[in-house]
Amino acid sequence: MQLEIAIVQFKPTLFDIKGNLQKAINIIHEIITSSNPKVILFPELFLSGYTFKDRKELDAVSFPISIQDGKNESLAPLIDISKKMSIGISGGYSEKDGDLFYNSSFFIGDGQIIANYRKTHLFHDENDYFQPGDTGFQVFEYNNVKFGMMICFDWIFPESARTLALMGSEVILHPANLVLPFCQRAMYARAIENRVFIATANRVGKEVNGKYENSFTGGSQIVSPRGEYILTMNEDGEYFSSVKIDPTEADDKNITEKSNLFKARREEFYR
Ligand code: ACM
């Protein structure tokens, strides 16, 4: 089986949902004229930017989502192009649910919102305005491939990728706004120790909002279950690129004939 997957290294303009959405649509058009990916992954919070002072600012760029009816006004242009081109589109956004905000990621497949994940492990200032995610990790199928999503800082908890792998994920989609320089190397281990594909779409650039400032580390990548960096980008600049993978490679958990990654686990000794 073959799946072509594209990642986008992106720099949104803070608070400019409309402009960022249009930019994303333009990039998708560029991608599908030069390649043929079935899934396109954008970074964490790519529609709003990342550096908020307070909940009021966040409120202005947040919207609710419903996977029940599979529709969403704010995501309509992405839903339309996903339907027209029969592709999957995934990325991060600020989700509003009543008075609460979640740092979330969506997956739109062929014009339907088929998954929504709320970031489990919030990073630093995110704790001041987002709620810790309550969806837990989820696996969903699109195009006969089992996908899971985790968001940025979820990476530092090996339980995130482990849980998604134990649930059957073949490909982990990892939208990110990384500010620390470790994740890209850590994902190499996460991919090997779980024998899964991990696609990290990170953002670039510096974002300043009053006394708040973040610099993002780029280095978007896709790592294979054998620990190969099969797609890499450098630390700055906006790019898109795609690679063909065989997701079923992730179904073979044998490190050797006698050492199966999951069967050899000793849960009785773990905390
Ligand atoms: C992060 O979780 N955005 C660092």
Side-chain angles (χ1 to χ4, degrees):
M1 171 192 275
Q2 276 222 329
L3 174 83
E4 185 166 344
I5 177 164
I7 53 176
V8 183
Q9 186 158 292
F10 191 80
K11 182 177 189 289
T13 302
L14 188 62
F15 306 133
D16 184 9
I17 290 255
K18 244 176 126 178
N20 295 327
L21 189 57
Q22 189 53 55
K23 181 170 159 179
I25 296 287
N26 294 345
I27 290 172
I28 293 169
H29 279 294
E30 268 192 74
I31 293 175
I32 58 184
T33 50
S34 60
S35 54
N36 196 23
K38 191 66 188 166
V39 172
I40 301 174
L41 177 65
F42 285 87
E44 177 185 16
L45 293 170
F46 76 105
L47 294 173
S48 60
Y50 180 80
T51 310
F52 303 103
K53 287 207 274 275
D54 51 40
R55 285 165 57 90
K56 202 164 149 233
E57 283 189 349
L58 190 60
D59 195 14
V61 292
S62 302
F63 53 85
I65 202 166
S66 163
I67 61 170
Q68 267 72 43
D69 62 11
K71 301 194 185 89
N72 185 281
E73 215 178 290
S74 308
L75 297 176
L78 293 173
I79 290 172
D80 286 349
I81 194 165
S82 156
K83 186 171 183 181
K84 200 147 80 193
M85 302 311 300
S86 297
I87 54 172
I89 302 171
S90 181
Y93 74 105
S94 176
E95 179 183 358
K96 185 169 182 177
D97 184 359
D99 290 337
L100 304 179
F101 302 100
Y102 294 93
N103 184 341
S104 297
S105 57
F106 61 77
F107 188 99
I108 302 165
D110 300 353
Q112 289 286 313
I113 300 167
I114 58 180
N116 186 56
Y117 164 69
R118 293 173 168 174
K119 185 176 185 177
T120 304
H121 306 98
L122 299 176
F123 179 71
H124 195 55
D125 289 337
E126 293 173 32
N127 288 288
D128 297 342
Y129 32 78
F130 286 118
Q131 296 297 117
D134 57 0
T135 53
F137 298 101
Q138 310 156 2
V139 175
F140 57 93
E141 257 189 67
Y142 174 65
N143 198 47
N144 297 317
V145 179
K146 294 189 188 73
F147 290 94
M149 295 190 281
M150 52 189 261
I151 300 178
C152 205
F153 192 55
D154 281 332
W155 74 266
I156 209 165
F157 301 88
E159 294 88 348
S160 308
R162 174 65 101 203
T163 301
L164 285 168
L166 287 171
M167 291 171 79
S169 292
E170 296 167 315
V171 180
I172 294 178
L173 302 174
H174 180 222
N177 274 196
L178 294 160
V179 293
L180 302 174
F182 314 116
C183 171
Q184 290 87 343
R185 280 171 290 153
M187 282 321 206
Y188 178 86
R190 295 292 111 80
I192 295 174
E193 71 201 9
N194 293 296
R195 283 179 90 87
V196 288
F197 289 92
I198 305 181
T200 298
N202 195 18
R203 67 160 288 183
V204 282
K206 184 172 169 177
E207 200 169 68
V208 181
N209 184 7
K211 67 178 170 104
Y212 297 89
E213 186 176 311
N214 285 296
S215 292
F216 302 95
T217 58
S220 299
Q221 62 186 27
I222 301 181
V223 192
S224 81
R226 286 192 284 256
E228 301 142 325
Y229 288 102
I230 53 177
L231 194 162
T232 54
M233 296 179 182
N234 61 21
E235 301 86 56
D236 39 41
E238 294 181 274
Y239 306 99
F240 61 81
S241 188
S242 69
V243 68
K244 290 189 182 114
I245 62 170
D246 177 357
T248 62
E249 269 181 45
D251 299 338
D252 176 9
K253 301 300 183 192
N254 283 340
I255 300 290
T256 75
E257 288 147 40
K258 297 181 189 175
S259 290
N260 181 285
L261 205 49
F262 288 171
K263 290 189 189 137
R265 295 176 75 235
R266 301 290 307 278
E267 284 184 71
E268 69 273 31
F269 294 125
Y270 303 156
R271 287 279 178 283

